[in-house]
Amino acid sequence: MPSSTSQQLDVDVLIVGAGPGGSTAAYHLARHGLNVLMVEKAAFPREKVCGDGLTPRAVVQLRRLGIDTDDPRFERHGGLRIYSRRVTMELPWPDLDDFPPFGLMMTRSEFDELLARHAEKAGARLMERTEAVAPIQDDGWVTGARIKSEQDDAETTVRARFVIAADGSSSRFASRAGVRRDPAKPLGIAARRYYKVERRPGPWLEVWMDLHEGDTILPGYGWLFPLADGSINVGAGLLNTFRDFKDLSAQRVFDAFWRMLPSEWNVNEASADGRVLSGPLPMGFSRTPPAVPGMLLVGDAAGMVNPFNGEGIAYAMENGELAAELIHEALVKDRPGIAHLYPTELRERYGRYYRIGSVFVRAIGHPPVMRALTEYALPQEWLMRFMLRLMGNLTDGRKGDARDKVMYALEQIVPAS
């Protein structure tokens, strides 16, 4: 019979989940010499539903981790090639002071393991096939968790000075500490599948901005992204702001998209490599609160996906680093309240941008608005170049930057949430 021996571990920081946010936090904490434990329910390599695209924001975070972005396992891309029924347009990533003019591609099964192993090399401990069963709370403060190993079913009590929940969009662990999804915030669904085809879209990320199912325009987008091994990631996402969202599944949206593709590209059942997998995209601070006493949430667990473009990796890594730096300062100064500046810091970094993005996705949920966007905005190259910067949250950081001016103008007409 499996062992049920109870043990106890004492660490500085327990991190639940070893995705990009959790591993980034673990790296930065370990770099400061803290005793860090990451627990991951699955074992690497493990699949994750994602477009696998890394924007210039994510490249910045990789450099901050000391990851070699010239690693041949990455496929480099220079921007977006956008398709609609009326136009095909190539939009290079802007060359800005704060962001490189390129992005990268790597499957999440490979990328997540790369980051987790990098955190291990920095000194973090990783326990795979280990589930965080429930948080431990003392007088309302999260002080650790009960964890269980799949290998021997042994349960261990982990006592931690701080906990980071980085276990994805469902985040059952955080929900057991009182964190809930805000139903007023936007949610997306996405599905993707890998294909082996001869056609290579690189050096572009190919994006379809007007998904159609018959005569109906769907408020989402489709993608075809190249990978270094010669395969492509094909996927589609849809927003819950669409009036008929409840009648659609991720599979149905995915099928509507791939059937739009030219037949000569051979994206079909014969060239498929693996199953269609789908998952949610929790957007715009959709999990609340982003911190409870003793525990901070990062990445999808905090609902940190960008409403404008569905990007989650860069934001998970950014707030993973932020959480790590605040926790480190709190521990060094023995002032726990410093770590709980985290929600305020998140609001200052992303609050305005995410609020306006949420209004944007609600607007395009109305077919007439989506139709106007695809028919009149898409053909305007100058406008789409600007939209690339706006939707990618890319700015040169200078006062008076055009993106920030437009953000300010939009803020004047967007009601406070």
Side-chain angles (χ1 to χ4, degrees):
M1 294 180 63
S3 170
S4 58
T5 303
S6 180
Q7 306 174 57
Q8 179 166 320
L9 280 174
D10 294 296
V11 299
D12 292 321
V13 185
L14 169 66
I15 300 177
V16 180
S23 291
T24 298
Y27 169 84
H28 288 290
L29 289 163
R31 184 175 57 86
H32 286 305
L34 295 177
N35 182 0
V36 182
L37 172 63
M38 276 194 298
V39 294
E40 168 59 45
K41 187 175 180 179
F44 291 109
R46 49 107 166 102
E47 279 199 293
K48 168 73 175 178
V49 180
C50 186
D52 299 333
L54 303 169
T55 67
R57 286 191 77 94
V59 175
V60 170
Q61 289 304 306
L62 287 172
R63 288 174 170 176
R64 292 181 64 80
L65 290 173
I67 298 287
D68 180 11
T69 57
D70 292 322
D71 187 320
R73 291 176 293 176
F74 286 116
E75 175 82 3
R76 181 172 292 204
H77 53 81
L80 272 59
R81 181 184 288 137
I82 293 179
Y83 292 87
S84 74
R85 290 190 175 186
R86 298 186 62 186
V87 67
T88 299
M89 185 183 301
E90 293 178 350
L91 302 172
W93 292 115
D95 193 356
L96 303 172
D97 292 342
D98 295 338
F99 300 98
F102 67 89
L104 301 169
M105 281 287 298
M106 180 183 285
T107 65
R108 284 292 299 275
S109 62
E110 192 168 18
F111 181 72
D112 287 10
E113 182 168 18
L114 171 69
L115 296 190
R117 302 303 179 206
H118 191 66
E120 278 191 299
K121 290 177 183 177
R125 179 182 176 187
L126 171 63
M127 294 176 65
E128 300 174 67
R129 293 191 177 93
T130 302
E131 180 181 5
V133 179
I136 296 170
Q137 293 177 283
D138 295 330
D139 295 326
W141 189 277
V142 177
T143 58
R146 291 186 293 108
I147 67 174
K148 182 176 289 189
S149 169
E150 179 186 301
Q151 292 180 320
D152 56 12
D153 203 33
E155 187 170 290
T156 300
T157 297
V158 179
R159 290 288 179 177
R161 299 167 76 185
F162 281 98
V163 176
I164 293 176
D167 54 333
S169 57
S170 62
S171 193
R172 294 184 181 90
F173 182 82
S175 68
R176 291 180 178 125
V179 177
R180 296 290 181 264
R181 179 180 176 269
D182 183 348
K185 298 297 174 65
L187 177 72
I189 56 169
R192 68 102 175 104
R193 193 179 199 182
Y194 296 111
Y195 291 84
K196 294 284 189 182
V197 295
E198 293 183 5
R199 181 180 179 279
R200 295 295 292 159
W204 304 100
L205 299 179
E206 295 191 316
V207 177
W208 277 253
M209 298 299 291
D210 56 349
L211 297 186
H212 286 78
E213 187 180 50
D215 294 329
T216 301
I217 297 179
L218 304 177
Y221 66 94
W223 68 79
L224 195 154
F225 294 169
L227 292 157
D229 66 358
S231 62
I232 56 174
N233 179 315
V234 177
L238 181 74
L239 297 162
N240 71 343
T241 54
F242 180 52
R243 64 184 181 188
D244 298 322
F245 177 79
K246 293 182 179 178
D247 298 328
L248 291 172
S249 66
Q251 179 72 60
R252 183 172 164 187
V253 176
F254 177 83
D255 289 342
F257 171 56
W258 75 260
R259 288 177 181 135
M260 291 171 51
L261 300 177
S263 59
E264 61 268 22
W265 291 7
N266 293 319
V267 177
N268 51 46
E269 197 65 33
S271 62
D273 183 17
R275 302 176 296 141
V276 178
L277 296 178
S278 62
L281 298 171
M283 298 176 171
F285 295 133
S286 64
R287 300 273 290 179
T288 185
V292 298
M295 182 174 75
L296 312 184
L297 281 67
V298 305
D300 285 4
M304 287 298 298
V305 174
N306 181 346
F308 277 108
N309 65 0
E311 177 185 8
I313 295 173
Y315 297 95
M317 296 175 73
E318 286 175 11
N319 48 77
E321 180 181 7
L322 172 62
E325 296 306 317
L326 289 172
I327 287 173
H328 170 249
E329 186 176 357
L331 293 176
V332 167
K333 295 182 178 179
D334 195 23
R335 295 176 57 192
I338 291 175
H340 291 88
L341 294 172
Y342 181 68
T344 301
E345 291 287 337
L346 290 180
R347 284 193 297 271
E348 290 182 356
R349 288 190 182 194
Y350 309 117
R352 178 178 65 150
Y353 179 79
Y354 277 18
R355 181 163 55 87
I356 293 171
S358 296
V359 172
F360 171 78
V361 299
R362 283 197 290 270
I364 65 174
H366 300 282
V369 176
M370 191 66 185
R371 186 173 292 107
L373 179 66
T374 57
E375 292 184 2
Y376 300 109
L378 276 177
Q380 308 299 320
E381 184 171 347
W382 68 271
L383 179 58
M384 293 310 298
R385 286 181 181 273
F386 172 75
M387 288 299 292
L388 179 68
R389 289 184 61 180
L390 176 65
M391 298 176 76
N393 201 8
L394 303 173
T395 176
D396 58 14
R398 294 177 295 184
K399 187 176 181 179
D401 174 77
R403 190 212 71 137
D404 285 340
K405 286 182 177 179
V406 171
M407 287 291 292
Y408 176 79
L410 288 172
E411 191 174 30
Q412 306 315 301
I413 60 175
V414 172
S417 56

